[in-house]
Amino acid sequence: MPPPPRSRRSCSFSSLRPAAVLLLFGVLDHVPARTDGPVARDLDVLLLRRAATLGSHAGQIAFPGGRLEASDDGPIAGALREAVEETGLDPDGIEPLGTLPEMAVPVSRHIVTPVPAWWTHPSEVAAVDHDESVDVFRIPVADLLEPANRAITVYTLGDHTYRSPAFTVGGRIVWGFTALVLSRMFDELGWAEPWDAERIVERDDLTR
């Protein structure tokens, strides 16, 4: 099982920097999921691939988002600002749905607030700053929920070894913080279907 999220108070790291990510759902294009499931086949989530040159989480698939700035009016505003900077989306077409419990990400020393949102009026998106991200794309939620596309990653941080959820869709591997947030959301919404928690994605594959 993945490690439980740590709150700002219980995390052993003394100074975690606040950050927020945007979990943007909607009908992002007219290409349906490859599989059927408990959600509509045209329901998508927007993701991006981080640049391989970044100091942390390099090359990983992630939600748009990043560190909060003093000028941000809370995590929702920060997540929207970062998403605009990274993908060029039009924030006027986004309806934030609140926030999820914050989660500590010790490897990058951040405390991250996930911000789910609905894309009421989709706009064009692309990787704006290639020093930060190199690709912006959508993944159908039904394909993420497909049991054959779910797996576990095993990785070590310091003296601890963790097992964490992963998704393998269309040749991409979603793992780490992003997969953990999606997995917990799917469980809470009752969308998750039984899957093989013994299917391991080897560490060598996690560079994709």
Side-chain angles (χ1 to χ4, degrees):
M1 295 296 293
R6 299 176 179 180
S7 70
R8 192 190 303 272
R9 292 174 295 276
S10 64
C11 184
S12 60
F13 290 81
S14 59
S15 58
L16 295 180
R17 298 163 292 188
V21 294
L22 189 67
L23 282 61
L24 184 54
F25 295 90
V27 179
L28 309 185
D29 62 24
H30 299 291
V31 180
R34 299 177 183 177
T35 56
D36 292 314
V39 300
R41 294 183 67 200
D42 58 1
L43 177 65
D44 306 313
V45 61
L46 186 71
L47 298 172
L48 55 80
R49 183 183 298 279
R50 291 168 57 83
T53 53
L54 291 174
S56 62
H57 310 294
Q60 288 189 22
I61 292 174
F63 302 113
R67 191 181 309 169
L68 298 186
E69 296 182 355
S71 59
D72 291 327
D73 185 18
I76 292 177
L80 284 172
R81 175 187 55 76
E82 284 282 342
V84 171
E85 292 176 1
E86 291 179 327
T87 72
L89 61 78
D90 181 359
D92 291 337
I94 307 300
E95 180 183 351
L97 303 176
T99 60
L100 300 180
E102 61 185 15
M103 296 172 61
V105 185
V107 67
S108 60
R109 301 182 65 82
H110 285 95
I111 186 84
V112 184
T113 301
V115 177
W118 180 253
W119 207 337
T120 57
H121 300 289
S123 53
E124 294 293 327
V125 293
V128 174
D129 183 353
H130 282 218
D131 289 335
E132 294 286 337
S133 56
V134 295
D135 191 18
V136 176
F137 54 91
R138 42 71 76 180
I139 288 185
V141 174
D143 288 344
L144 291 169
L145 294 170
E146 166 59 40
N149 292 339
R150 303 202 61 177
I152 288 288
T153 61
V154 179
Y155 58 98
T156 300
L157 290 175
D159 297 330
H160 300 281
T161 298
Y162 298 108
R163 292 167 58 89
S164 183
F167 301 86
T168 58
V169 178
R172 295 184 171 103
I173 298 174
V174 183
W175 66 287
F177 172 82
T178 304
L180 186 58
V181 172
L182 287 170
S183 180
R184 289 179 173 173
M185 172 178 274
F186 295 159
D187 287 343
E188 290 294 325
L189 292 172
W191 292 353
E193 301 179 272
W195 55 282
D196 182 8
E198 298 304 317
R199 180 191 171 210
I200 304 295
V201 177
E202 296 296 335
R203 181 73 187 182
D204 288 347
D205 292 334
L206 300 184
T207 57
R208 288 190 285 169

